Amino acid sequence: MTSERLTRRTMLRASGATVAGLSAGLAGCLGSSSASPDSLTLGTLNVFPMMQYFVIDRQGWYDDLGPAVEVKTFGGGPPLVQAYASGDLDLAYVGISPGMVAVANGVRSKVVAANVVEPNVMVGSAEWRRYWNRHGSDAFERFRQDKGRKPRFATLPAGSTPDVFLRFWLTERLGLDLDVVEIAGQSPSALQSTLASGQADAGSAIEPIPTQLQTNPESDMEPFLYADEIMPGQPGAVLQPSQSLVDDQPDLVRELVDVHVRATEFIHENREEAARMASEVVGTDVLPEAVALRAINSPASNFISNPHRIVDKSLVYNDFHQQLGSVDRDLTESDVFDHSFYEQVSDGE
């Protein structure tokens, strides 16, 4: 296989795939444009890239905003974006991949802060790791020859950041076609179960799933690649309010970014306490404190606020979405990002 020069416009090859569920019905203005909203509806996911939200929630910092903040938790980025497109949300903590698909398909919103970089982890069973360690990119074909089937990779739903990252790794870093694997997109809870029970050979995941797998004595699934080895500076999740909120309530958006930056600083200074907060918000039965404490020290837990740091690689995702067929719009930095709020509340990172 030949590899292409990694520029923004030549990085990608057509894969013939589509990102399901996000291409239709994503037009129009979101959120309310009330001069003084009584409430805001926030969409988020119970995964570590949303760590700033966990801290804000447990610290009660939204209580000082004025509007009450109602939180809706989703099983993946694409269904969250579908709710956003339907006008059910005013802002979101969402993965950059589905967030950009939303913008490209007419969901009027802006990324105003970043959450994390390099959050993705490739995990594999002991058997798959042996194939990978011995054969590298040829492991897929050797596995198929030996097993009579393709390796099965589980990840979050189609269009999610881990899903697109998996496709990027296969096609752009390894120079393979997507048909070398079976890709199963699932909710975070289903993904963890699928990987732990051996129903997949490997997967593309985000914390705390890799740590949960490592601490499960009944699973031999462990990380074999981190994001910095595949896409240094990989963008993860973001804070993305509706354009109507940005336009009509700039002071409120500024406050939202301010508490986000405070949360990031808190995480850096109080990592163990932040991990406990994540466990409390998600639920100790789902995310035990011991797992959260270990996961926050993972190489995938790199929390930031500065949206400037993720611009270039985010636009690469847009190129990839075009090749997948999920969007047909070439986004620019100004289409996706509004840096002004971060610049007003922070001295930079």
Side-chain angles (χ1 to χ4, degrees):
M1 296 284 181
T2 60
S3 61
E4 297 176 277
R5 185 168 61 93
L6 296 179
T7 64
R8 170 155 141 64
R9 296 300 172 205
T10 64
M11 179 169 274
L12 308 167
R13 301 179 306 153
S15 64
T18 59
V19 177
L22 290 179
S23 296
L26 298 183
C29 179
L30 301 181
S32 71
S33 59
S34 168
S36 180
D38 295 325
S39 65
L40 297 174
T41 303
L42 166 69
T44 188
L45 287 71
N46 281 336
V47 290
F48 256 47
M50 311 308 172
M51 183 63 69
Q52 285 89 345
Y53 162 69
F54 300 145
V55 170
I56 293 166
D57 177 84
R58 299 310 296 171
Q59 295 286 60
W61 288 341
Y62 282 150
D63 296 344
D64 299 327
L65 291 180
V69 178
E70 177 188 357
V71 179
K72 292 185 178 181
T73 303
F74 293 82
L80 184 157
V81 168
Q82 290 172 354
Y84 210 168
S86 299
D88 296 336
L89 304 176
D90 297 293
L91 69 159
Y93 273 115
V94 65
I96 188 63
S97 180
M100 290 191 70
V101 170
V103 172
N105 282 295
V107 176
R108 299 185 64 244
S109 56
K110 283 291 192 297
V111 170
V112 295
N115 294 19
V116 65
V117 291
E118 300 173 355
N120 225 85
V121 184
M122 294 296 180
V123 298
S125 66
E127 181 178 55
W128 171 256
R129 296 197 308 276
R130 285 194 295 271
Y131 272 91
W132 174 255
N133 291 335
R134 292 173 183 171
H135 306 294
S137 61
D138 292 331
F140 299 87
E141 178 59 22
R142 293 295 294 266
F143 185 98
R144 186 193 65 78
Q145 292 174 356
D146 292 347
K147 304 295 182 182
R149 64 175 178 86
K150 301 174 185 178
R152 185 172 194 248
F153 273 62
T155 188
L156 295 183
S160 67
T161 300
D163 170 76
V164 174
F165 190 75
L166 170 60
R167 297 167 190 268
F168 173 89
W169 175 57
L170 291 169
T171 61
E172 301 311 317
R173 290 305 189 211
L174 300 183
L176 302 173
D177 294 327
L178 287 177
D179 64 6
V180 300
V181 299
E182 175 191 349
I183 298 177
Q186 304 177 333
S187 70
S189 58
L191 174 60
Q192 179 188 342
S193 176
T194 294
L195 292 169
S197 62
Q199 297 178 60
D201 304 294
S204 173
I206 50 181
E207 292 290 359
I209 291 174
T211 297
Q212 288 170 320
L213 293 169
Q214 289 179 282
T215 57
N216 183 345
E218 298 181 2
S219 173
D220 66 355
M221 196 75 61
E222 293 184 2
F224 67 94
L225 279 175
Y226 287 91
D228 64 339
E229 301 174 82
I230 298 171
M231 182 194 280
Q234 178 218 353
V238 295
L239 174 59
Q240 189 166 332
S242 68
Q243 189 66 52
S244 61
L245 203 62
V246 169
D247 292 341
D248 300 337
Q249 302 291 331
D251 291 341
L252 181 55
V253 173
R254 189 178 302 110
E255 290 184 73
L256 289 165
V257 175
D258 182 55
V259 296
H260 177 95
V261 171
R262 287 164 56 196
T264 304
E265 293 169 349
F266 181 93
I267 296 164
H268 290 167
E269 297 169 2
N270 307 274
R271 294 186 77 86
E272 291 189 357
E273 190 172 352
R276 293 187 183 97
M277 291 177 174
S279 176
E280 291 171 0
V281 175
V282 176
T284 56
D285 56 332
V286 177
L287 178 59
E289 183 178 306
V291 173
L293 289 168
R294 180 170 171 174
I296 204 165
N297 291 312
S298 160
S301 296
N302 309 297
F303 302 103
I304 67 168
S305 294
N306 189 344
H308 289 287
R309 291 182 56 182
I310 65 168
V311 170
D312 290 344
K313 297 296 172 61
S314 296
L315 295 178
V316 166
Y317 270 50
N318 174 234
D319 290 336
F320 201 81
H321 293 144
Q322 291 181 74
Q323 295 294 340
L324 288 174
S326 55
V327 305
D328 59 9
R329 181 181 172 191
D330 190 22
L331 297 174
T332 66
E333 179 176 357
S334 61
D335 291 328
V336 180
F337 293 89
D338 187 334
H339 300 293
S340 64
F341 299 101
Y342 175 78
E343 291 166 352
Q344 290 172 47
V345 305
S346 175
D347 293 331
E349 292 183 310

